[in-house]
Amino acid sequence: MSDYLLLAGVALCLISVVVAIVQLVQTRPPRAAVITLIIGIVALFAGAYLNPEPFQANDIVSAWDHVVEEAQGSAP
């Protein structure tokens, strides 16, 4: 579960940057980008909290590897 939360947090944070750029180009306040960024940060903290080991930057790469291995293992 922590792997999914870490990856979702990273994805939401990256999406928030794109949304912020789009909203600023449209001369609108980037409210949706800020909300997306906050949700992404909360997901990152939740994933780090649920992981029994101390959080390191390499955990994001290993979370991706775990999710990919799990997806390949469940394929027929």
Side-chain angles (χ1 to χ4, degrees):
M1 180 69 174
S2 65
D3 294 338
Y4 292 113
L5 284 171
L6 286 174
L7 293 177
V10 169
L12 286 171
C13 289
L14 292 176
I15 289 170
S16 72
V17 172
V18 174
V19 171
I21 292 170
V22 169
Q23 288 182 329
L24 289 173
V25 167
Q26 294 176 349
T27 63
R28 295 187 332 194
R31 292 182 187 119
V34 171
I35 292 169
T36 308
L37 180 67
I38 290 171
I39 293 171
I41 291 171
V42 168
L44 279 171
F45 277 111
Y49 179 76
L50 291 176
N51 195 359
E53 301 169 1
F55 180 73
Q56 298 175 354
N58 292 336
D59 288 342
I60 296 172
V61 176
S62 64
W64 178 261
D65 292 338
H66 291 140
V67 170
V68 169
E69 288 175 7
E70 184 178 317
Q72 290 175 349
S74 64

